Amino acid sequence: MRLSVGKDQANIEKIKDFASWLLDIGEGNLGGPNDGVTIIDIPDDILINDPDDHIGSLIEFVYPSILEKYSNTNYFQERAILAPKNEVVQEIYDHLLRKFPGDEVEYLSSDSICDSEFVHDQFDANLYSPDVLNGLKVSGLPNHKLVLNIGVPVMLLRNIDQKNGLCNGTRLHVISLGKCVIEARIITGTNIGNRTFIPRMSLTPLGKKIHSNSQKDSFL
């Protein structure tokens, strides 16, 4: 027990030191007096040293021995990769997905025009072809194509059932993949360990430029 407590305390101190280091960078306290440009020494243990496969190196650092541990929910509960843009998230996910055994399952959204608020004689449906709708990438909505595999970690983009912990940002671990439903286990929040089922559902984007122009039947 003493060894466990000592190890946990050491991890806490390490996290605090790293957080302080990040704050010092953001506040400009590192590198000495400067006018906004300076040189900062980055610790070797957080550097990506493989210029040819930087994403692979990042995944290996965050998810070591993933093939042996991907079925363990706790393994993903303790790990995550943050990215600044959705394009980077997709690139990392595609790279990570290729590491999982088994067949991938592809889900496609069913996009259509929601014309209830249009005057039909002023509405040109040709402006919103399926190719245009399928190419939309809107914050809070999944892309047209979603590729999953059993064992992958995923994150909800909308509040579905807040009482049961299914909120925007909730992370889940995929257990099984059906034709119209995804079974997963919650790995963050107050409902960790609970199993849930995510069905296909109709979603309407809220952006002013495309509000009421399209609706998407897909998974979150």
Side-chain angles (χ1 to χ4, degrees), residues 71-82:
S71 59
N72 184 349
T73 299
N74 294 334
Y75 177 76
F76 291 107
Q77 182 182 333
E78 301 170 349
R79 295 168 170 82
I81 296 176
L82 300 179

Side-chain angles (χ1 to χ4, degrees), residues 203-220:
L203 306 169
T204 302
L206 300 178
K208 293 182 179 179
K209 293 183 179 180
I210 56 176
H211 176 53
S212 298
N213 284 358
S214 65
Q215 59 185 6
K216 183 185 288 284
D217 175 32
S218 65
F219 291 101
L220 287 172

Side-chain angles (χ1 to χ4, degrees), residues 1-9:
M1 180 62 69
R2 292 179 180 176
L3 290 176
S4 177
V5 172
K7 184 177 180 181
D8 291 343
Q9 185 62 36

Side-chain angles (χ1 to χ4, degrees), residues 86-87 90 109-114 127-146 157 203-216 218:
N86 289 336
E87 291 81 2
Q90 189 64 49
S109 67
S110 177
D111 292 338
S112 60
I113 302 298
C114 181
L127 295 176
Y128 303 97
S129 66
D131 288 340
V132 172
L133 294 176
N134 294 341
L136 294 176
K137 295 184 179 180
V138 185
S139 177
L141 289 179
N143 293 338
H144 169 59
K145 182 172 71 173
L146 176 64
L157 300 178
L203 306 169
T204 302
L206 300 178
K208 293 182 179 179
K209 293 183 179 180
I210 56 176
H211 176 53
S212 298
N213 284 358
S214 65
Q215 59 185 6
K216 183 185 288 284
S218 65

Side-chain angles (χ1 to χ4, degrees), residues 8-218:
D8 291 343
Q9 185 62 36
N11 288 335
I12 292 174
E13 293 300 326
K14 188 175 182 179
I15 293 173
K16 287 182 178 180
D17 291 342
F18 180 66
S20 297
W21 180 74
L22 288 179
L23 287 174
D24 286 338
I25 291 178
E27 294 174 358
N29 296 330
L30 298 181
N34 62 82
D35 58 356
V37 178
T38 187
I39 297 177
I40 298 173
D41 292 328
I42 300 178
D44 292 337
D45 60 341
I46 62 173
L47 282 175
I48 295 176
N49 296 314
D50 188 348
D52 299 322
D53 187 16
H54 55 282
I55 291 181
S57 298
L58 176 61
I59 291 175
E60 181 61 31
F61 175 77
V62 178
Y63 300 109
S65 305
I66 191 171
L67 289 178
E68 291 79 22
K69 300 179 180 179
Y70 75 93
S71 59
N72 184 349
T73 299
N74 294 334
Y75 177 76
F76 291 107
Q77 182 182 333
E78 301 170 349
R79 295 168 170 82
I81 296 176
L82 300 179
K85 297 181 179 179
N86 289 336
E87 291 81 2
V88 180
V89 173
Q90 189 64 49
E91 188 176 0
I92 293 174
Y93 177 75
D94 291 342
H95 201 115
L96 180 64
L97 188 64
R98 291 194 292 268
K99 293 181 175 292
F100 284 77
D103 296 329
E104 299 174 356
V105 179
E106 182 179 277
Y107 297 98
L108 301 178
S109 67
S110 177
D111 292 338
S112 60
I113 302 298
C114 181
D115 57 2
S116 59
E117 299 182 15
F118 286 96
V119 178
H120 292 281
D121 58 0
Q122 297 179 353
F123 176 67
D124 186 359
N126 293 325
L127 295 176
Y128 303 97
S129 66
D131 288 340
V132 172
L133 294 176
N134 294 341
L136 294 176
K137 295 184 179 180
V138 185
S139 177
L141 289 179
N143 293 338
H144 169 59
K145 182 172 71 173
L146 176 64
V147 182
L148 296 173
N149 203 338
I150 294 176
V152 299
V154 295
M155 178 182 289
L156 290 180
L157 300 178
R158 284 281 189 93
N159 294 331
I160 300 178
D161 186 353
Q162 292 176 285
K163 181 179 179 181
N164 291 310
L166 299 179
C167 311
N168 178 23
T170 298
R171 297 176 61 218
L172 307 108
H173 187 214
V174 175
I175 299 175
S176 65
L177 299 168
K179 183 177 181 180
C180 295
V181 67
I182 297 170
E183 181 182 5
R185 180 173 284 109
I186 299 175
I187 60 176
T188 59
T190 58
N191 293 272
I192 292 176
N194 291 354
R195 294 202 311 175
T196 187
F197 296 89
I198 311 296
R200 291 184 67 92
M201 59 189 70
S202 295
L203 306 169
T204 302
L206 300 178
K208 293 182 179 179
K209 293 183 179 180
I210 56 176
H211 176 53
S212 298
N213 284 358
S214 65
Q215 59 185 6
K216 183 185 288 284
D217 175 32
S218 65

